Amino acid sequence: MAKDEEAGVEFQAKDYQDPPPAPLVDVEELGQWSFYRAIIAEFIATLLFLYITVLTVIGYKSQIDANNGGDECGGVGILGIAWAFGGMIFILVYCTAGISGGHINPAVTFGLFLARKVSLVRAVMYMAAQCLGAVCGCGLVKAFQEAYYTRYGGGANELADGYSKGTGLAAEIIGTCVLVYTVFSATDPKRNARDSHVPVLAPLPIGFAVFMVHLATIPITGTGINPARSFGAAVIYGKDKAWDDQWMFWVGPFIGAAIAALYHQYVLRAGAGKGLGSYRSSSVI
């Protein structure tokens, strides 16, 4: 294998072969400690994610509440809330990627399942752990901020006034598609083999994707793009509006995840496969 030059930079070419797809049902996983360790990691990560982010949302609303002596121009603002969500995803994906893959989101798990990156058993158990972690995380917020929790909406996702359900659903589809597309691109091992001279810290672009989507869609739906996040907040908050709109925060993210998975696997990866083939043929002497 020889060294190639591209744009004046030398790098070592790497060969790569796709790993086999995950089995649909892998019963052997149930007997492995690493499987249960990954489930625990997803539970704890989602719990911490909801605890920090929902506290941020409630704290911001209390800071701008004029009836509570707040300043309408104060608080962290939408920018701060977006940073809380994006920053926590960056931290938690970085911490758990080597254990569970750092999904922390049923939509991400669903997209990876469609791409045959995880088995059905693992996908179902991850989603259950994520939803339970989200409920527990919001429960901690309510326990610590019970006086403010219900008054300021409990961090629950709801469709904002003035927007149709179709607009809210579209916002969730597009937002989740951006996130899951970023997950696939940032963690693609074929890309890492081909572009080994360009180091990529996967949690960083994933966190930025969450940050950017929140900036765009907080005014519309409060930004779900994570069914566990919306479910956990709705369970603890328990008001009708949060439950009436709950379907939107499951259907939208799952459709968005499916679109991202199909686009990456059957459009981008098909082209990447040809490009890698020509790259390898030109780099071998």
Side-chain angles (χ1 to χ4, degrees):
M1 189 73 67
K3 288 185 177 181
D4 285 2
E5 291 187 6
E6 183 174 328
V9 178
E10 290 191 354
F11 61 91
Q12 183 68 34
K14 291 185 179 180
D15 200 353
Y16 175 80
Q17 289 185 352
D18 277 320
L24 183 62
V25 179
D26 189 358
V27 180
E28 293 182 0
E29 285 185 315
L30 299 176
Q32 299 172 351
W33 165 240
S34 60
F35 174 67
Y36 297 100
R37 185 178 61 180
I39 293 171
I40 294 171
E42 287 292 310
F43 168 79
I44 296 297
T46 314
L47 183 155
L48 295 175
F49 177 61
L50 267 294
Y51 173 73
I52 295 297
T53 55
V54 171
L55 265 181
T56 301
V57 172
I58 292 174
Y60 165 65
K61 289 185 177 181
S62 68
Q63 289 172 327
I64 64 172
D65 185 4
N67 297 324
N68 193 40
D71 179 6
E72 292 185 0
C73 297
V76 297
I78 290 179
L79 183 64
I81 293 173
W83 271 123
F85 279 89
M88 277 305 293
I89 285 295
F90 167 71
I91 293 169
L92 294 170
V93 171
Y94 179 82
C95 291
T96 60
I99 301 172
S100 66
H103 297 193
I104 322 172
N105 185 336
V108 171
T109 300
F110 180 66
L112 293 173
F113 166 71
L114 292 180
R116 302 292 301 277
K117 304 295 184 182
V118 296
S119 68
L120 177 62
V121 173
R122 185 175 290 265
V124 171
M125 293 300 292
Y126 272 22
M127 291 181 191
Q130 291 156 359
C131 289
L132 182 59
V135 171
C136 293
C138 291
L140 284 177
V141 175
K142 185 174 183 179
F144 294 154
Q145 296 280 357
E146 188 169 2
Y148 290 159
Y149 188 84
T150 302
R151 184 189 308 174
Y152 297 117
N157 288 125
E158 298 176 354
L159 181 65
D161 295 336
Y163 292 97
S164 67
K165 292 187 181 297
T167 300
L169 181 63
E172 288 296 307
I173 291 173
I174 296 171
T176 311
C177 185
V178 171
L179 169 60
V180 178
Y181 169 47
T182 304
V183 170
F184 273 102
S185 297
T187 60
D188 186 353
K190 179 176 286 188
R191 174 184 175 183
N192 292 337
R194 183 192 63 208
D195 300 332
S196 57
H197 59 296
V198 183
V200 176
L201 181 61
L204 186 59
I206 294 171
F208 265 106
V210 172
F211 168 70
M212 298 303 295
V213 171
H214 273 76
L215 286 181
T217 57
I218 282 176
I220 304 173
T221 61
T223 309
I225 68 171
N226 184 335
R229 177 260 185 272
S230 302
F231 176 75
V235 167
I236 301 301
Y237 184 52
K239 301 299 182 181
D240 290 342
K241 175 64 172 173
W243 284 113
D244 290 343
D245 295 339
Q246 186 66 199
W247 67 272
M248 189 183 307
F249 300 107
W250 285 85
V251 175
F254 274 42
I255 292 176
I259 293 172
L262 293 173
Y263 173 62
H264 184 268
Q265 291 296 105
Y266 296 103
V267 177
L268 298 187
R269 283 302 297 271
K274 293 177 181 178
L276 181 61
S278 60
Y279 167 79
R280 288 171 57 191
S281 64
S282 65
S283 62
V284 177
I285 297 178

